């Protein structure tokens, strides 16, 4: 048998395994989405709403309509940055669930800072300083969970969630007291004028925050998969004891992961203010971070797949808001779909683990 024939046989022999791996990945990613949408359709039927008509209207408004499609891309901007934040943390084995607090505090401080800088700095200077401020605020709010995790081994799920609750409350206090615009009767920060916000892309209404989010996800993907620093973080996440034996400083890398992850969450808040909102009202909290968690897991922490799932969620979100008004469905039904997706994803992972354990 020639070497060429042997190589062909080996390639053919490897095809079934490759196909099985591809089918498994599809079942664990696309499968939960389809099942969640099907269960959501059953709930709509119980509510007396035609699920096919509902989903068709969601697609029409969130994807096919020019205005809706531009709104979908704009909605993706903070979601992509939060997804990048979670990818860094999860790939390093750290559960930074404090993204909502980091996001909101970054947004509030940027909303208060931006109008003060206008007139004192050039246009791009204001935007750059505000984004740096948002990142700094997010990173600072992660210091306590980072230090407790790195040097005391305290579970970061608990501490980061606690800091989220504190951050949301502190943001409201800042809006209602320190940053309240005296020219308004409703508690809110000063408003950054539209001309001073992030520019629109190609003459559309799409905020350039969308481009910032895309770049952030791709840079994080490259960092975690193609650089020595990313390899160190993955080793820490996979086996901290092995990382110690390899001479890696686990505490310092843990603090670095928290800082990078939280800075991206703070940047998401800054981009949302600079690109869309312009100000922050009291009690405003979109709770984007926890919503993005199942999307990142569905993507298996892959940057390219994450972009696709964030796009899908944005279509559901924008289209769902229009469908809710037209068809009498509650506004939060999109969150019901996300919750179903998380449950189905967990069940799919459990069944896959059992199948693989049985196969061994």
């Amino acid at each position: 048998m020639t070497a060429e024939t042997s190589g062909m046989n080996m390639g053919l022999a490897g095809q079934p395994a490759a196909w099985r791996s591809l089918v498994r990945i599809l079942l664990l990613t696309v499968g939960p989405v389809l099942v969640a949408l099907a269960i959501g359709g059953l709930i709509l039927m119980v509510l007396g709403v035609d699920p096919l008509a509902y989903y068709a209207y969601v697609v029409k408004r969130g994807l096919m309509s020019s205005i809706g499609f531009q709104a979908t891309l704009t909605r993706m901007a903070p979601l992509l940055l939060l997804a990048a934040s979670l990818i860094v943390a999860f790939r390093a084995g750290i559960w930074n669930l404090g993204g909502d607090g980091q996001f909101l505090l970054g947004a509030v401080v940027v909303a208060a800072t931006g109008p003060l800088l206008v007139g004192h700095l050039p246009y791009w200077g204001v935007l750059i300083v505000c984004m740096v401020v948002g990142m700094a605020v997010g990173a600072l709010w992660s210091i306590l969970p980072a230090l407790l995790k790195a040097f005391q081994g305290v579970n970061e799920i608990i501490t980061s969630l606690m800091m989220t609750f504190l951050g949301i409350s502190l943001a409201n206090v800042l809006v209602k007291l320190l940053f309240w615009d005296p020219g308004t009767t409703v508690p809110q920060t000063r408003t950054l004028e539209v001309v001073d916000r992030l520019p629109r892309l190609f003459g559309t209404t799409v905020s350039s925050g969308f481009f910032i989010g895309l770049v952030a996800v791709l840079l994080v993907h490259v960092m975690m998969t193609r650089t020595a620093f990313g390899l160190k973080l993955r080793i820490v996440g996979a086996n901290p004891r092995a990382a110690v034996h390899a001479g890696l400083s686990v505490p310092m890398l843990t603090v670095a992961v928290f800082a990078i992850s939280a800075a991206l969450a703070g940047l998401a808040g800054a981009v949302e203010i600079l690109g869309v909102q312009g100000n922050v009202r009291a009690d405003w909290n979109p709770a984007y971070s926890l919503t993005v968690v199942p999307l990142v897991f569905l993507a298996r922490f892959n940057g390219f797949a994450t972009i696709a799932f964030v796009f899908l969620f944005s279509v559901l979100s924008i289209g769902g808001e229009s469908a809710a008004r037209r068809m009498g469905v509650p506004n939060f039904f999109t969150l019901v779909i996300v919750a179903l997706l998380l449950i189905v994803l967990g069940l799919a992972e459990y069944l896959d683990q059992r199948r693989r354990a049985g196969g061994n």
Side-chain angles (χ1 to χ4, degrees), residues 5-298:
T5 306
S6 176
M8 290 176 61
N9 289 338
M10 289 179 65
L12 290 173
Q15 282 186 2
W19 277 109
R20 285 196 297 269
S21 177
L22 178 61
V23 170
R24 173 178 170 271
I25 292 173
L26 289 175
L27 287 175
L28 292 177
T29 53
V30 180
V33 174
L34 297 177
V35 173
L37 291 175
I39 297 174
L42 293 176
I43 295 175
L44 288 171
M45 291 178 65
V46 172
L47 295 175
V49 177
D50 182 357
L52 295 179
Y54 175 83
Y55 287 135
Y57 195 78
V58 167
V59 173
K60 177 182 177 182
R61 298 299 298 174
L63 185 60
M64 307 304 293
S65 164
S66 175
I67 296 176
F69 181 68
Q70 292 177 47
T72 293
L73 296 183
T74 299
R75 177 66 58 85
M76 288 178 66
L79 301 179
L80 286 172
L81 286 163
L82 287 167
S85 165
L86 292 173
I87 289 173
V88 172
F90 291 164
R91 274 189 174 268
I94 293 175
W95 287 75
N96 174 25
L97 299 182
D100 283 327
Q102 296 150 11
F103 170 92
L104 195 56
L105 281 174
V108 168
V109 176
V110 166
T113 303
L116 298 178
L117 297 177
V118 174
H120 299 282
L121 291 176
Y123 171 72
W124 282 106
V126 173
L127 296 178
I128 291 173
V129 169
C130 284
M131 285 189 280
V132 171
V133 167
M135 295 175 70
V137 171
L140 286 172
W141 198 247
S142 73
I143 286 180
L144 184 58
L147 294 179
L148 290 175
K149 171 68 175 180
F151 297 102
Q152 299 298 326
V154 178
N155 190 309
E156 73 275 16
I157 296 176
I158 298 173
T159 55
S160 61
L161 282 175
M162 289 178 63
M163 292 301 289
T164 283
F165 297 138
L166 289 174
I168 293 171
S169 299
L170 176 59
N172 282 323
V173 169
L174 290 175
V175 172
K176 293 178 180 179
L177 297 179
L178 187 61
F179 298 149
W180 188 340
D181 181 3
T184 63
T185 56
V186 177
Q188 66 178 46
T189 64
R190 288 181 172 85
T191 300
L192 186 67
E193 299 298 331
V194 175
V195 295
D196 297 317
R197 300 179 195 175
L198 286 169
R200 301 291 186 252
L201 293 177
F202 312 115
T204 67
T205 61
V206 179
S207 166
S208 53
F210 169 71
F211 176 74
I212 296 173
L214 278 180
V215 171
V217 171
L218 295 177
L219 288 178
V220 162
H221 180 80
V222 171
M223 181 187 77
M224 298 303 294
T225 60
R226 296 289 187 270
T227 67
F229 179 67
L231 177 60
K232 292 178 181 179
L233 296 184
R234 297 203 313 273
I235 293 173
V236 171
N239 194 331
R241 292 185 179 180
V244 172
H245 288 299
L248 300 179
S249 177
V250 175
M252 295 307 298
L253 287 173
T254 299
V255 173
V257 169
F258 265 104
I260 296 171
S261 177
L264 287 169
L267 178 60
V271 166
E272 180 70 1
I273 298 304
L274 298 174
V276 180
Q277 303 293 336
N279 61 36
V280 174
R281 291 192 175 190
D283 302 319
W284 176 72
N285 177 25
Y288 286 148
S289 183
L290 291 180
T291 304
V292 174
V293 170
L295 306 180
V296 173
F297 270 95
L298 272 173

